[in-house]
Amino acid sequence: MDSTLNRDVEKRAGTAEPPLFDHESGAVPASSFEHGNSLYAKLQRLGGKIKVEQRGIERVPEDERTDNSYWNIGSMWLAANMVVPSFTIGVLGQPLFNLGFIDSALIIIFFNFISVLTVCFFSTFGAAFGVTTNGFVSVLVWMVGCQAHDLVALFNVLACLGWAAANIIVGAQLINAVNPDVPGYAGILIIAFCTLAVVFFGYQVVHAYEYWSWIPTFIVFLVVLGVFAHSGDFVNIPMRSGSIELGAVLSYGSTVFGFGTGYTSFAADYTVYQPSDRPRRKVFLATWLGIFPTLLFTELLGAALVTAITLNGGDNPYNAGYQDNGVGGLLGALLFPRVGGFGKFCVIILALSIVANNCPNIYSVSLTLMVMGRCTRHVPRFVWTIVATAIYIAIAIPGYSQFEAVLENFMHFIGYWLAIYEGIALTEHFVFRRGFSGYQPEDYDNRDKLPPGIAALLAFCCGVVGMVTGMSQSWYVGPIAKSAGLAPAGGDVGFELGFAFAASSYAILRFIEKGFFKR
């Protein structure tokens, strides 16, 4: 097999001897990463001494896929979502879209249900094939030579780094709410370095951390729920009707969808060490049980608490706290007067919960960086985690003061591009591959056997056209969005149209491409 990965391993080793590489399956044993005298091999040997995961995007051999725990899958997503950022998505419904609890709750339930399905579905590919999400995408529709794969990798890098920056700003707000003498940049640095300490060591340490980290956060959220229920400050804001309500529902739904579906582009990264004989339905269910109930719990709690900012026409401590310090100020207004020092302890726990949410972002962005160019593969994964950490810190510090607007726009961006990605990938899987049996995972890095990617690239552009016509942002409102709600903001239908345009155009273009190139 003329595999690019085989050539890369030989270059890393700096030797003409055959590398440790299974030509039949395309898998690369862990022992190969330390082979040779190149700088890459020396760094890998150094990492091996301190038990750092050395594998990058290479396919995992069957004998190394020893993660037999379904709870490892479920707890990964449970911990990543039992955090303040998901709580914050629930909070955004009232101040940004003027929604009450009932309509916010209905939006949260419906849009989360559809958004997490692709996360659960793509999680099954890691166990089935032993390759990360980007490796699977190569098998599916992309080829580096046509730049389509690099385009997806670029968007995934932006998404992961943007997620990490948005999340860490929330944590910094919480720390600042407890102690105003701690500036935003200091809170950002604290959480970023804690995250780096986990993801630097790789898959096993990330899973071990997520296995337990949700427990104290869950307890704190129960305290928030109990204190708020006892306070009697919940406000039942009536639902509206007509165009103004339609626009708000669609736009907030796009925000909720963007958060829930945000893990799709790296879902398979956390099941690659699961055995290939794992029933796909059980992997899907383990992911679903970890992510969907958790999102509902945290977001509904946020949607309930934020109704208190409307007390006395907005003249209340909740609204003052939220205006001064975002979600941290809102939680502080609830907890600090009622449970004193323990309330501050709870808020610090919530701030540190950001680590659990940022671990998958920074771990996966390091893998994605390794597929963006042949030269990036010659840098070990754990080095890329350091680079990624420095980048999102640089994004978060200047974005600290504009968090709310940044988060809303970012959630829409995530929903837009992932809907396009999902439209293409699902069409390829169900229409052209006709299920899992239609894949040759051993070819994930063999250019001669991968699709040219022309159809995928053109379909992506068509998806962007749909996105633009349906998007509703402060800086641009598409023509279809204007008719989906009250003018001038309208209602955001960018992700729905992006998915539809991409899926339908890809079905046509891929049929033509496959007939011409025969692959």
Side-chain angles (χ1 to χ4, degrees):
M1 175 175 129
D2 181 19
S3 171
T4 306
L5 181 60
N6 192 16
R7 294 192 297 270
D8 281 345
V9 174
E10 289 174 346
K11 289 179 182 178
R12 292 173 183 174
T15 177
E17 296 179 9
L20 297 173
F21 180 81
D22 188 333
H23 288 263
E24 183 176 345
S25 69
V28 181
S31 55
S32 68
F33 300 114
E34 297 184 4
H35 182 63
N37 295 312
S38 64
L39 177 60
Y40 174 90
K42 292 177 181 178
L43 287 172
Q44 290 285 28
R45 285 195 288 271
L46 178 62
K49 291 179 180 178
I50 55 175
K51 306 301 181 183
V52 168
E53 182 192 17
Q54 298 161 300
R55 183 175 300 281
I57 60 171
E58 300 85 3
R59 191 180 187 199
V60 184
E62 191 64 43
D63 60 351
E64 294 181 25
R65 297 166 65 177
T66 57
D67 183 358
N68 294 302
S69 172
Y70 287 111
W71 178 242
N72 266 354
I73 301 173
S75 63
M76 178 74 204
W77 303 112
L78 169 59
N81 290 283
M82 188 65 70
V83 290
V84 172
S86 54
F87 173 86
T88 302
I89 296 300
V91 168
L92 293 179
Q94 210 297 312
L96 289 183
F97 306 102
N98 200 28
L99 295 167
F101 177 74
I102 299 300
D103 35 2
S104 291
L106 293 174
I107 294 167
I108 287 168
I109 294 169
F110 175 74
F111 281 93
N112 272 315
F113 179 79
I114 62 173
S115 70
V116 304
L117 293 178
T118 51
V119 182
C120 301
F121 178 68
F122 286 118
S123 291
T124 65
F125 282 82
F129 299 139
V131 294
T132 63
T133 302
N134 278 280
F136 147 68
V137 171
S138 294
V139 178
L140 193 64
V141 292
W142 314 96
M143 177 174 169
V144 177
C146 285
Q147 303 302 314
H149 185 277
D150 289 348
L151 179 64
V152 170
L154 175 62
F155 276 117
N156 197 40
V157 168
L158 294 175
C160 290
L161 293 176
W163 269 119
N167 292 341
I168 207 169
I169 290 173
V170 178
Q173 287 180 341
L174 293 171
I175 294 173
N176 184 260
V178 173
N179 185 354
D181 293 331
V182 179
Y185 73 85
I188 287 171
L189 291 174
I190 291 170
I191 299 171
F193 288 133
C194 289
T195 304
L196 179 61
V198 177
V199 298
F200 182 81
F201 290 94
Y203 182 96
Q204 290 186 345
V205 176
V206 168
H207 273 277
Y209 180 82
E210 306 285 13
Y211 195 94
W212 301 104
S213 65
W214 64 273
I215 297 175
T217 312
F218 179 57
I219 293 172
V220 170
F221 276 133
L222 289 178
V223 171
V224 172
L225 176 61
V227 173
F228 184 61
H230 187 263
S231 72
D233 291 335
F234 173 81
V235 179
N236 186 17
I237 302 170
M239 292 179 63
R240 299 166 298 175
S241 60
S243 297
I244 189 170
E245 179 73 358
L246 174 62
V249 167
L250 291 172
S251 295
Y252 183 47
S254 181
T255 302
V256 173
F257 177 85
F259 188 90
T261 202
Y263 302 103
T264 298
S265 59
F266 48 82
D269 297 355
Y270 302 95
T271 54
V272 293
Y273 287 96
Q274 293 277 331
S276 60
D277 59 358
R278 279 290 200 231
R280 289 190 291 273
R281 284 177 293 182
K282 292 185 178 180
V283 175
F284 184 102
L285 181 61
T287 306
W288 190 89
L289 290 174
I291 189 171
F292 183 64
T294 312
L295 285 174
L296 294 192
F297 172 70
T298 52
E299 292 179 11
L300 290 175
L301 180 58
L305 178 57
V306 79
T307 63
I309 70 173
T310 64
L311 286 167
N312 300 322
D315 185 16
N316 60 76
Y318 295 101
N319 192 38
Y322 184 74
Q323 297 301 324
D324 291 341
N325 212 5
V327 174
L330 179 66
L331 287 166
L334 172 70
L335 297 174
F336 296 167
R338 293 174 175 84
V339 291
F342 179 69
K344 294 184 177 181
F345 172 77
C346 289
V347 171
I348 292 296
I349 293 296
L350 292 178
L352 294 177
S353 75
I354 304 296
V355 174
N357 193 245
N358 269 2
C359 279
N361 291 306
I362 303 307
Y363 177 76
S364 289
V365 78
S366 64
L367 297 176
T368 307
L369 286 167
M370 298 182 75
V371 304
M372 293 193 69
R374 294 300 169 188
C375 60
T376 62
R377 292 192 180 185
H378 304 305
V379 178
R381 177 206 59 82
F382 52 87
V383 175
W384 283 122
T385 62
I386 299 174
V387 174
T389 299
I391 294 173
Y392 83 85
I393 288 174
I395 296 172
I397 291 177
Y400 180 80
S401 59
Q402 301 293 327
F403 168 70
E404 188 177 88
V406 170
L407 181 62
E408 180 198 358
N409 291 329
F410 181 67
M411 289 303 103
H412 286 152
F413 164 75
I414 295 296
Y416 295 152
W417 96 263
L418 280 178
I420 296 171
Y421 166 91
E422 291 159 4
I424 296 171
L426 293 176
T427 302
E428 172 74 15
H429 178 81
F430 290 106
V431 177
F432 296 101
R433 301 284 178 168
R434 300 186 183 278
F436 285 83
S437 61
Y439 295 91
Q440 292 77 43
E442 65 276 7
D443 295 335
Y444 76 98
D445 201 47
N446 189 341
R447 296 187 180 192
D448 297 332
K449 296 186 178 181
L450 294 178
I454 299 172
L457 187 59
L458 293 176
F460 197 94
C461 294
C462 292
V464 171
V465 173
M467 175 199 79
V468 171
T469 59
M471 69 189 299
S472 175
Q473 298 293 317
S474 58
W475 44 273
Y476 176 78
V477 180
I480 297 179
K482 290 178 181 178
S483 62
L486 187 66
D492 196 304
V493 289
F495 85 81
E496 294 95 334
L497 292 179
F499 180 94
F501 277 48
S504 56
S505 62
Y506 183 73
I508 299 171
L509 294 167
R510 178 67 176 128
F511 179 80
I512 298 172
E513 178 189 69
K514 195 171 183 179
F516 187 81
F517 290 98
K518 308 300 181 184
R519 52 187 170 96

